Amino acid sequence: MRPSRNAFLGYTYQQCITFLLLVKMDVERQIDKLEIETTVNNNFDDINVSVSDQIMFCQIKDMDNIRLDDLTIEKDYILIKNKQHKLSEKTNIIFFKHIDIENNNSTILGFPAYQQDNLYIISLSRYDSSQIIEELYEYNSKRESVINQFFNLRLDTRHLIIGKAELPVIDIYNTQLLEKTIDVGRKLLEFNDILFIEGKPGVGKSHLTTCLAEEYENNLMYRFWVSNQDKDYDSRLLFRNFISNISKELFSDYRYRSEDEIIEYLSSKKNPVIIDGLDHVENYKPSELEQFISFIDKLKGKTVERYFNLHDALKEFHNLLLMKVKMT
């Protein structure tokens, strides 16, 4: 996989690792806070990482030709080429851009590590870090640029404490139709779990889904079309983006989840799923259609099933629209 061309451009090694941790905070949402260049009573002051109620103290070393034999680890400190670094009483992590470790015996923050007591040693180059970021944003390629700009702004303004809640808002596709929907004020049909809308062009399918979404709380809606001017129109029709968007909406993070994981989650929650405009996939991205149909079939088997023909409901809805227009 090609590493991102933008990752780490002009960054020091310390900033590279900091940016990688920020990306993990953004994608996985497990890290709650990063504190950069902190004042502490130990030498592990490059970054503090908060995860739940645990604080990890990090030191980042841009050093060449380091081996484990060059380290002497004691209870309260570590010697790196005979230079003493005081450890914290909590979790300590050292990042080296390269250190010869034959066998990692642990994992911390998702990274393979060599652990001795409360000290974790990680070998992670700029190239490897860039590869990790590329993988984390594989299905959300635009997001890396957003987080990169956010990180640079925080560095420029010296706002060096970054909380998870401060991250740029998670971007998901807009589901609001640009044309006004007339609220007819009545329930047209009952459904559980999945609502698959189909009908002739112009009969009012998309506006019907708007009414249904307002009628049924905690629904998950996905639209393949909101307007001819929609900047996301082409990307909405791709199955991988469909899965990515649903995952972000359900879990509020950027971690990759398979369709089976998403289906299991939807099955456990029993929330209505509204899919609007599948004919756009059939017409403009037919090669993607089979994957969408497969997804719906898998979801069907995991939830309470109810199938129906919407022709009469759509016809009634259309008639009500006409009545409403005539009245106004």
Side-chain angles (χ1 to χ4, degrees):
M1 181 179 295
R2 176 186 59 81
S4 170
R5 291 175 295 178
N6 294 324
F8 309 151
L9 184 63
Y11 288 170
T12 65
Y13 180 63
Q14 178 177 334
Q15 290 169 340
C16 290
I17 297 302
T18 304
F19 181 63
L20 173 59
L21 293 174
L22 179 65
V23 168
K24 289 183 73 67
M25 176 197 280
D26 181 49
V27 173
E28 299 170 350
R29 303 281 159 154
Q30 301 301 310
I31 297 174
D32 296 315
K33 184 170 64 174
L34 297 176
E35 298 185 48
I36 306 168
E37 299 176 9
T38 58
T39 301
V40 294
N41 61 354
N42 59 73
N43 294 123
F44 283 66
D45 56 358
D46 287 337
I47 313 174
N48 287 359
V49 181
S50 298
V51 179
S52 298
D53 57 352
Q54 183 180 9
I55 299 178
M56 307 175 191
F57 296 86
C58 301
Q59 186 66 265
I60 302 170
K61 293 297 183 184
D62 188 359
M63 303 176 69
D64 297 316
N65 303 319
I66 294 292
R67 299 175 301 167
L68 280 178
D69 293 344
D70 296 319
L71 310 180
T72 301
I73 303 171
E74 300 292 345
K75 180 180 179 182
D76 299 322
Y77 63 86
I78 178 174
L79 290 173
I80 304 175
K81 289 190 172 182
N82 296 319
K83 182 177 180 180
Q84 181 173 301
H85 299 263
K86 184 181 179 182
L87 298 169
S88 77
E89 296 179 354
K90 299 183 179 181
T91 301
N92 303 276
I93 305 173
I94 300 182
F95 290 89
F96 290 100
K97 69 178 181 181
H98 178 74
I99 182 170
D100 290 325
I101 301 175
E102 291 187 4
N103 294 301
N104 290 305
N105 60 4
S106 186
T107 301
I108 186 107
L109 295 174
F111 303 116
Y114 177 81
Q115 179 186 4
Q116 184 168 324
D117 298 325
N118 66 337
L119 175 65
Y120 294 80
I121 300 171
I122 298 173
S123 180
L124 196 62
S125 69
R126 286 178 172 83
Y127 179 85
D128 292 336
S129 300
S130 187
Q131 290 281 83
I132 293 170
I133 291 173
E134 186 84 0
E135 292 170 2
L136 288 172
Y137 284 136
E138 180 179 3
Y139 297 95
N140 300 280
S141 58
K142 295 180 181 178
R143 182 68 175 184
E144 181 187 338
S145 177
V146 173
I147 295 301
N148 204 329
Q149 292 176 15
F150 171 79
F151 182 53
N152 283 318
L153 179 61
R154 298 308 288 261
L155 292 179
D156 287 344
T157 57
R158 302 299 293 172
H159 289 163
L160 302 181
I161 299 177
I162 304 174
K164 181 169 58 178
E166 301 173 68
L167 293 171
V169 64
I170 292 177
D171 56 319
I172 56 177
Y173 293 138
N174 175 35
T175 60
Q176 299 298 315
L177 294 173
L178 297 188
E179 295 180 0
K180 183 178 179 181
T181 294
I182 301 173
D183 184 3
V184 297
R186 58 183 294 181
K187 186 184 296 186
L188 296 175
L189 72 164
E190 298 286 345
F191 66 93
N192 289 323
D193 300 310
I194 304 175
L195 176 60
F196 180 73
I197 303 293
E198 61 179 347
K200 293 181 178 180
V203 74
K205 303 184 299 296
S206 295
H207 293 286
L208 173 60
T209 62
T210 299
C211 293
L212 290 169
E214 294 174 356
E215 185 73 37
Y216 296 93
E217 296 180 355
N218 301 319
N219 67 80
L220 176 70
M221 175 182 284
Y222 190 89
R223 294 193 192 273
F224 295 100
W225 181 92
V226 294
S227 166
N228 290 332
Q229 287 73 46
D230 179 20
K231 63 181 177 59
D232 297 318
Y233 177 70
D234 288 334
S235 63
R236 287 176 187 268
L237 305 180
L238 299 177
F239 183 74
R240 67 174 183 272
N241 294 339
F242 167 79
I243 292 297
S244 175
N245 193 79
I246 288 179
S247 179
K248 288 185 288 186
E249 190 164 358
L250 292 177
F251 299 98
S252 299
D253 63 26
Y254 281 87
R255 284 180 53 197
Y256 170 76
R257 291 176 177 85
S258 67
E259 60 177 292
D260 289 335
E261 290 177 289
I262 290 172
I263 287 169
E264 287 299 325
Y265 184 85
L266 288 171
S267 175
S268 68
K269 295 299 181 181
K270 301 295 183 184
N271 292 339
V273 177
I274 303 175
I275 300 175
D276 177 32
L278 193 58
D279 56 310
H280 287 266
V281 178
E282 183 178 15
N283 293 336
Y284 302 107
K285 293 287 183 183
S287 61
E288 302 282 316
L289 183 62
E290 186 174 341
Q291 295 179 80
F292 286 105
I293 298 300
S294 175
F295 176 86
I296 293 169
D297 284 341
K298 289 180 181 179
L299 188 60
K300 176 183 66 179
K302 292 284 186 178
T303 58
V304 178
E305 299 179 33
R306 181 175 296 183
Y307 286 91
F308 46 80
N309 189 327
L310 286 180
H311 175 75
D312 293 338
L314 288 168
K315 183 177 180 181
E316 179 182 358
F317 180 75
H318 190 247
N319 289 336
L320 287 168
L321 288 178
L322 293 176
M323 291 175 59
K324 189 76 174 183
V325 170
K326 290 178 180 179
M327 291 175 62
T328 56

